[in-house]
Amino acid sequence: SGYYKDCYDCALKKVPANSYTSGIDFACNTGYIKSGNSCVKVVAPANAYVSGAYWFCNSGYKEVGNSCVKK
């Protein structure tokens, strides 16, 4: 626990912060997204919420670039 292999014959690697082992790899916790060998927090803009590794605009708003604007 707390370690993973990125191939069957490779040495063990420590699981990065905000993640868990998944087979011979690691996966990020909810609210985080994989970036190389780490997990970074998903930051939602105003009027949005995070679900899994993505953000979505609240009801009544639409995505425009990296923001949510009123419909």
Side-chain angles (χ1 to χ4, degrees):
S1 178
Y3 291 87
Y4 72 101
K5 290 183 174 191
D6 58 3
C7 71
Y8 288 104
D9 296 328
C10 298
L12 287 173
K13 294 182 178 182
K14 186 161 178 50
V15 174
N18 304 305
S19 70
Y20 57 92
T21 57
S22 178
I24 63 166
D25 201 358
F26 71 91
C28 297
N29 296 340
T30 297
Y32 292 83
I33 192 165
K34 201 171 190 179
S35 178
N37 290 323
S38 64
C39 294
V40 294
K41 188 173 182 76
V42 176
V43 179
N47 303 308
Y49 63 95
V50 175
S51 179
Y54 304 97
W55 60 264
F56 301 93
C57 294
N58 294 337
S59 180
Y61 290 83
K62 65 180 180 176
E63 185 177 338
V64 177
N66 289 325
S67 63
C68 294
V69 296
K70 197 162 185 83
K71 288 183 179 178

